[in-house]
Amino acid sequence: MMNFQSCVDIKKEWDIVGARQLGRERAKAIGFGTVDQARIATAISELARNIYLYAGSGVICFETIDEIDRKGICIIAEDNGPGIHDISKVMEDGFSTSGGLGAGLPGVKRLMDQFDIVSDQEQGTKIRTVKWVPQRRF
Amino acid sequence: MENYRYYLKRYIDTQDESALYQAEQLSKLYIQNKISPEEIINKHIQALKDLFPHLPKEIDLSMNFLLETMISYGLAYQEHQSMRKQQLSLRSEMELAANMQQTLLLTETPNIKGLDIGAVSVPAKQLNGDYYHFSTDKNGRFGVAIADVIGKGMPAALAMSMIKYSVDSFSDHHPKPSSLLEKLNRVVENNVEPGMFITMLYGLYNPITEKFMYATAGHEPGFFYDATKNEFTEIEGRGLVLGVSDDTTYQEYELALQDGDIIFLLTDGVTECRIGDRFIERQEVLEVIKHYMHLPAQTLVEKVYKHFERLQEFQLRDDFTLIMIRKQV
C-alpha cells in the first residue's frame, strides 16, 4: 500500500536543502535510524543536484511504502531535461566522481535498496529509488 | 559493538596503549567486513550514549554532524573497492590479450644460408605496438618486415594484427618491397581511423644476387655496417608513413651485401630511449652495438636490449624492437 505523496520543486540550489529536510522527516517518521536517515538525505541531495545541474528544474517526491512485512521510503526524481544519452555510462563507477561532482547515480544506488531509471532524450529522466527499514527494527 | 564500547571505556578510564592497539585491530576487522565509516561513527555514538547517558547536547549534535559528513566518504570508499575489483579483472583481460597477441604475431627466425639473424621485440606495456615478421620462399629469398604503430596499447595492438595478416597474404607472392608497401598503405588507409599512422620498412634479400631490396614508409632509419670500410652509415630511404593518402608510391632501394656486412633495423623505441629527462643520441646506440659486435646476432640484439633496459631502470618508455641481419660466409 502506498501512502500519500509529498513533493518538492527543484529550481534553485536551496531547494535541494528543502528536499533533504522533507525526506529526512519522512524517513524518521517511517522509523529509519540516524545512519539511514543520513544516507537517505545524501541520496536526495544527489538526485536533486542532478536535476538542478543538468535539467534546470524538476521535482522530488516521497512516498511511504507500508506493506504487511516491511516499510520503506520511495523517492521519485523527475525532470523534463535533456535526458541521459548513455545510462550505462552514467551508472559506471568513477564517471561522475572523477570530476569531483560527488557520488553520482552509482552512489544513490549504493545508498538505497532499489533503483530504477528511465530516460528519454527530449522527455527527460525519471528515477525511482526505494530504501527499506531494516527488518530487525520491527 | 560490545567490543568497541568495551575498549572505548577502557581507553577513557586508563588511556592505556593496549586499548588503542585493540582499536587498530578493530579497524582492520571493520575493513574486512566492509563496514563503512559512517557505521563506525554510529557505533561510536551508540557506545558514547550507553556509557554516558547524560552527554551534553552539543556533543550529541556534533556527532550527528560528523556522521553526515562521513556519508560521502563511505560512498567514495565503496566505489573505490568496486573499481579495484574492476581493475583486477581488466588487468587479467589485458594479460589474455597480450598472450593472444604474442601467439598471433609470433615469427620464427629462419635459417638462411649465408645470414646470421637476430631479433628482439619487447613491449613497453603489456601489448606491443611494434611488429616484425620474417618470411622465406621456395627460391630461398628472405623477407623482413618491421613496423611501428604511432600510439601504444590496445589500439596499436589491434592495428598490428591487421598489418600482420595483410603482410602474410601479400608476401605469399613476394612482390617488390615498394609494391607491398603500396598495397599495405591502401589497407591501412581504408581500415584505420585517421590520426593513426604506421611506419614500416619491408626488405627482401636474395641469396643469389646477395642484394637486399627494401622500401620504407617513414620508418626510423636503421644502420648499415660496411665490413670492408669498417664503418656505419644510416640506411637511407624516404617514403610517406602508411595510412596518410591512398595513392602513395614508394621508392625501391638496394644494398649489396658483402661478407661481414650487417643491416640493423629498429624502431624509435631503441633510438628514442629516454634516460631520465634526456633522449639518447643515435650515436649512443651505435656505441653499444659496436661494443658487442663480436657476438652472434641473437646474442648481440639481446645484449643491446638488456643494456638499454637497465639504463631506463627497467621501465621501457616505448616498445623496443631491434633486428640484425649479418652476411656471413
Side-chain angles (χ1 to χ4, degrees):
Chain A
M1 192 197 94
M2 290 267 178
N3 210 323
F4 69 99
Q5 211 184 45
S6 44
C7 298
V8 179
D9 284 332
I10 306 295
K11 290 199 178 83
K12 41 189 201 302
E13 194 172 8
W14 281 116
D15 294 333
I16 300 172
V17 176
R20 283 178 60 109
Q21 175 93 48
L22 186 60
R24 190 191 297 275
E25 278 161 15
R26 288 294 286 268
K28 200 172 178 178
I30 293 166
F32 283 101
T34 343
V35 181
D36 279 342
Q37 284 175 37
R39 287 180 179 140
I40 290 165
T42 305
I44 294 166
S45 270
E46 291 296 333
L47 293 171
R49 275 190 76 79
N50 274 347
I51 292 177
Y52 168 70
L53 289 174
Y54 303 114
S57 71
V59 64
I60 301 260
C61 295
F62 305 102
E63 282 169 7
T64 303
I65 309 176
D66 199 348
E67 294 177 357
I68 299 168
D69 54 347
R70 58 180 183 176
K71 275 173 145 184
I73 188 168
C74 174
I75 308 166
I76 298 154
E78 217 171 344
D79 68 60
N80 299 312
I84 300 169
H85 173 60
D86 186 348
I87 296 181
S88 306
K89 189 100 202 159
V90 189
M91 292 306 294
E92 251 173 45
D93 279 322
F95 180 74
S96 62
T97 40
S98 54
L101 295 173
L105 294 182
V108 175
K109 196 176 170 187
R110 285 206 171 88
L111 291 163
M112 306 291 287
D113 294 322
Q114 276 165 247
F115 182 91
D116 187 31
I117 173 168
V118 180
S119 184
D120 280 311
Q121 255 150 330
E122 313 298 313
Q123 303 202 15
T125 304
K126 183 173 181 175
I127 296 172
R128 189 178 180 279
T129 181
V130 173
K131 191 167 188 70
W132 300 107
V133 179
Q135 295 283 354
R136 59 178 181 277
R137 290 191 178 271
F138 293 113
Chain B
M1 176 66 219
E2 286 71 28
N3 282 343
Y4 187 94
R5 189 177 51 204
Y6 175 77
Y7 292 117
L8 176 64
K9 169 125 179 55
R10 228 176 84 188
Y11 178 69
I12 291 173
D13 290 346
T14 65
Q15 279 104 71
D16 186 358
E17 186 66 34
S18 78
L20 292 181
Y21 174 67
Q22 292 302 331
E24 178 196 313
Q25 299 302 105
L26 277 179
S27 116
K28 285 177 186 161
L29 191 71
Y30 294 153
I31 289 177
Q32 261 176 28
N33 296 331
K34 302 190 170 65
I35 311 255
S36 60
E38 71 268 19
E39 283 173 75
I40 297 172
I41 291 173
N42 193 44
K43 269 182 204 297
H44 186 78
I45 296 174
Q46 297 311 321
L48 214 53
K49 281 182 177 166
D50 282 355
L51 294 172
F52 310 100
H54 304 295
L55 271 185
K57 195 172 167 229
E58 289 82 0
I59 300 282
D60 198 14
L61 288 174
S62 83
M63 293 311 291
N64 277 348
F65 192 84
L66 177 62
L67 190 142
E68 295 278 339
T69 316
M70 292 313 283
I71 297 275
S72 291
Y73 274 93
L75 278 178
Y77 176 69
Q78 282 179 40
E79 185 183 56
H80 180 84
Q81 296 290 98
S82 108
M83 286 172 79
R84 229 174 75 163
K85 239 189 193 158
Q86 281 171 27
Q87 191 200 20
L88 286 178
S89 86
L90 270 180
R91 190 185 295 169
S92 68
E93 203 167 317
M94 279 293 257
E95 267 161 28
L96 287 177
N99 281 339
M100 172 129 182
Q101 196 204 23
Q102 270 175 14
T103 319
L104 281 175
L105 299 187
L106 190 69
T107 184
E108 259 176 50
T109 306
N111 258 320
I112 309 282
K113 195 168 178 292
L115 291 184
D116 177 24
I117 304 164
V120 61
S121 183
V122 185
K125 301 225 175 96
Q126 282 179 317
L127 295 161
N128 203 337
D130 281 0
Y131 157 74
Y132 76 94
H133 184 71
F134 297 139
S135 61
T136 49
D137 69 3
K138 55 180 186 298
N139 301 322
R141 289 192 300 179
F142 164 64
V144 53
I146 182 167
D148 183 359
V149 181
I150 309 304
K152 283 198 249 324
M154 193 68 95
L158 291 173
M160 265 312 72
S161 306
M162 184 185 73
I163 294 287
K164 182 212 151 78
Y165 288 111
S166 309
V167 172
D168 272 5
S169 61
F170 296 150
S171 60
D172 274 355
H173 323 289
H174 279 85
K176 291 197 306 187
S178 55
S179 62
L180 183 131
L181 286 189
E182 280 156 20
K183 286 182 181 179
L184 202 54
N185 175 57
R186 283 192 288 273
V187 174
V188 174
E189 161 69 12
N190 290 329
N191 295 287
V192 173
E193 57 179 290
M196 181 180 265
F197 302 107
I198 297 165
T199 72
M200 178 162 174
L201 181 146
Y202 185 76
L204 197 57
Y205 175 73
N206 188 333
I208 297 166
T209 59
E210 301 189 337
K211 277 179 182 158
F212 183 77
M213 314 265 291
Y214 66 95
T216 175
H219 196 75
E220 178 77 13
F223 299 110
F224 176 65
Y225 173 70
D226 185 326
T228 331
K229 295 184 192 156
N230 186 27
E231 67 179 27
F232 283 89
T233 48
E234 214 156 72
I235 292 180
E236 62 168 289
R238 295 173 71 88
L240 203 56
V241 297
L242 302 177
V244 174
S245 146
D246 67 358
D247 56 359
T248 308
T249 54
Y250 293 95
Q251 201 183 325
E252 196 93 21
Y253 298 87
E254 192 181 278
L255 282 171
L257 296 192
Q258 316 266 328
D259 289 344
D261 287 355
I262 310 174
I263 290 167
F264 289 97
L265 303 176
L266 38 81
T267 56
D268 57 10
V270 181
T271 46
E272 287 175 10
C273 134
R274 218 170 13 182
I275 302 158
D277 292 334
R278 156 187 100 86
F279 283 110
I280 59 158
E281 305 282 330
R282 283 171 67 86
Q283 193 57 36
E284 292 180 63
V285 179
L286 275 187
E287 293 306 320
V288 180
I289 287 174
K290 281 178 192 162
H291 184 73
Y292 294 117
M293 280 284 274
H294 57 287
L295 296 168
Q298 189 58 40
T299 321
L300 186 150
V301 292
E302 280 167 18
K303 290 269 188 201
V304 173
Y305 167 68
K306 289 221 153 66
H307 177 93
F308 287 112
E309 183 195 29
R310 192 173 149 207
L311 273 188
Q312 295 182 83
E313 293 169 348
F314 304 96
Q315 298 250 305
L316 292 192
R317 262 57 161 224
D318 195 359
D319 305 330
F320 183 108
T321 301
L322 177 64
I323 296 174
M324 160 175 177
I325 303 160
R326 180 194 270 136
K327 172 89 170 59
Q328 57 185 15
V329 189

